[in-house]
Amino acid sequence: MQVTRQEPVRTSLKPSNHPYMSGPWTPLHEEVDVDELQVIEGEVPRDLDGIYLRNTENPVHQPLGRHHPFDGDAMIHQVSFRDGKVSYRNRFVRTHCFTAEQNAGRALWGGLMDPPGTSERPGFGAHGSLKDTASTDIVVHACVALATLYQCGEAWQLDPATLDNLGKAPWGPLDGVSAHPKVDEATGELMFFNYSKHAPYMHYGVVDRSGRLAHYVPIPLPGPRLPHDMAITPKWSILNDMPLFWDADLLERDVHAARIHDGIPTRFALIPRHGQPEDIRWFEAAPTYVLHWTNAYEDGDQVVLEGYFQDKPMPDPIEEAGEYSHMMAYVDEHSFQSRLHRWRFDLSTGECIEERLSDRIVEFGMINPAFAMKRHRYTWSTTSKPGWFLFNGYVRHDSETGDEQLFRLPEGVYASESPVIPKKDGAKEDDAWIVTFLIDENKGTSQCAVLDAGDIAAGPVCRLALPHKISSGVHATWVEHEQLEKDRAFRLEALAAA
């Protein structure tokens, strides 16, 4: 395995025993290219022909105050599959904040857990004092990879094939772009939202296939909220207003402390894809908080939405974690108790019907993308290590039978969010592959692994050695080489026509 290393970044970080700056969350600072990864088990499926991208958290400088796992600088890891061979590279996302701290040689912004006044410079997005790390999500649209921050940042562009940094998205609005924009591969459109501390508190937009902001409208809310994800169908975009949001009295003192507001229901805003505020259909549901949706589709006069209902959005502290007791609870699925759930919005009656799909605690789910915005049968979710934000396996849930198939990693080995990739000759919904990164704390190594989505219990069909141990992180995506080629051809035609 021949490794080409890039010029080192400047770092002031000191060794730490912080639970989210050590072990599987130990920051990685080197950037490398590897033309071909070594296969250490099995055989790479030859019909895998695309790029897997994962966003990870890698703090570069010593924190000004307390550290939260979501404070880290964005590092994108990429593996590219073609003709049974796999290459690898990784790069930091060069946001304005990353560049400013590189120039200064130290941290300039405080973190999510820090009090007002910690940051030395004005912050970005909904929180107002955080740096724009772009370290939450990663999607590919119009042959550009977009890295985004959950607190609404500027949306940072990279070339998905080379990971060259391409600057901030030119279409990004003043209030930024939240993590979890959605791409409709059929139309080439990207739907996104943002949120802020000033009226109307939320906006919704559509970026067309050429990368132009084609639609942008307000979504009026009663006050500042903390939405995290959205969903789409061919006709509708689904936004939310949930009862977990900042305490208004503390917010007046610039203290960002989220709590559940008793007596307030969950509300869903269904807006036609290119609709106006007066076109919104509002639905009320049981109070909860939802981090991630898995799919949405239309079913006659109903719109169906699936995701992870939290039974305890304000979890009890994990006392044995000491000074980290609250932080550990709020990133632990077993503390906030997230379970697969279904909401049905009846457009004729205005009623919302809810249904629990599984009692198992899971999150970070994926479906076969060929069934996006359609009725689907299977959802592949991650399981997690109790008390931690670490994925230790997968569950395939069958919504027709309720059956679940489980794959659990060995103790000390942790996975990534994992896209489901249809097999080229697949006839069934679960004729697909799952691609993931593994962090093996027992050996101090990392790997890329492929599982058969139809038989996850069998474990990886192949594993490839990565050149270094990566840090854990949040979201991932997959894009086919064929899709990238189509998007590039479209953009060239559009430029020629212009």
Side-chain angles (χ1 to χ4, degrees), residues 143-145 156-160 162-170 491:
C143 62
V144 172
W156 289 87
Q157 303 179 120
L158 300 93
D159 185 309
T162 65
L163 294 190
D164 289 344
N165 279 264
L166 304 176
K168 67 178 182 179
R491 297 197 81 167

Side-chain angles (χ1 to χ4, degrees), residues 87 145 167 244 280 406 440 444 464:
S87 63
L244 179 73
I280 296 173
L406 176 66
D440 188 338
L464 304 100

Side-chain angles (χ1 to χ4, degrees), residues 480-491:
E480 295 281 334
H481 286 300
E482 182 181 11
Q483 184 65 49
L484 285 176
E485 290 160 6
K486 287 179 180 178
D487 288 343
R488 288 193 185 99
F490 177 85
R491 297 197 81 167

Side-chain angles (χ1 to χ4, degrees), residues 31-76:
E31 300 169 302
V32 305
D33 296 348
V34 180
D35 288 341
E36 186 173 353
L37 294 179
Q38 176 188 357
V39 178
I40 55 179
E41 179 186 25
E43 184 176 341
V44 177
R46 296 191 69 85
D47 68 337
L48 277 173
D49 189 17
I51 293 172
Y52 171 54
L53 299 163
R54 194 196 186 197
N55 205 340
T56 61
E57 306 274 354
N58 291 262
V60 172
H61 294 290
Q62 190 65 21
L64 295 179
R66 296 177 294 175
H67 178 72
H68 188 279
F70 300 158
D71 293 340
D73 297 286
M75 176 181 280
I76 308 300

Side-chain angles (χ1 to χ4, degrees), residues 200-364:
Y201 305 111
M202 182 188 285
H203 287 85
Y204 157 75
V206 181
V207 181
D208 67 20
R209 189 179 177 188
S210 65
R212 179 183 65 90
L213 183 62
H215 187 66
Y216 188 66
V217 295
I219 308 293
L221 298 177
R225 295 296 191 264
L226 290 171
H228 188 78
D229 196 1
M230 66 175 293
I232 59 172
T233 74
K235 294 180 182 177
W236 301 93
S237 290
I238 306 171
L239 306 165
N240 65 80
D241 170 9
M242 296 192 174
L244 179 73
F245 52 87
W246 288 313
D247 183 295
D249 293 336
L250 293 175
L251 199 58
E252 289 183 359
R253 306 204 306 266
D254 201 28
V255 175
H256 297 79
R259 68 173 179 86
I260 277 285
H261 292 71
D262 294 334
I264 297 180
T266 293
R267 296 198 309 152
F268 292 95
L270 273 65
I271 183 171
R273 182 170 293 188
H274 298 94
Q276 298 297 320
E278 58 268 25
D279 300 321
I280 296 173
R281 297 288 305 272
W282 286 99
F283 292 82
E284 292 191 358
T288 187
Y289 191 75
V290 176
L291 282 171
H292 304 117
W293 314 108
T294 57
N295 196 23
Y297 57 91
E298 295 154 22
D299 184 14
D301 287 337
Q302 295 184 337
V303 175
V304 183
L305 174 67
E306 294 187 10
Y308 299 99
F309 186 106
Q310 293 183 9
D311 288 345
K312 203 166 187 176
M314 279 194 71
D316 297 326
I318 301 175
E319 298 299 344
E320 56 267 31
E323 63 177 302
Y324 307 117
S325 60
H326 284 84
M327 177 196 71
M328 297 292 279
Y330 273 89
V331 295
D332 170 36
E333 295 167 17
H334 295 267
S335 293
F336 54 73
Q337 300 176 19
S338 52
R339 294 176 169 91
L340 194 58
H341 199 79
R342 178 183 289 152
W343 294 258
R344 284 185 173 270
F345 309 112
D346 193 314
L347 299 171
S348 60
T349 67
E351 183 182 11
C352 176
I353 303 164
E354 300 187 54
E355 178 185 0
R356 175 63 52 87
L357 299 180
S358 173
D359 289 327
R360 190 184 296 273
I361 292 178
V362 289
E363 241 284 0
F364 289 84

Side-chain angles (χ1 to χ4, degrees), residues 94-106:
R94 264 67 176 181
T95 67
H96 288 322
C97 297
F98 179 92
T99 301
E101 290 187 334
Q102 281 292 290
N103 291 336
R106 60 186 179 89

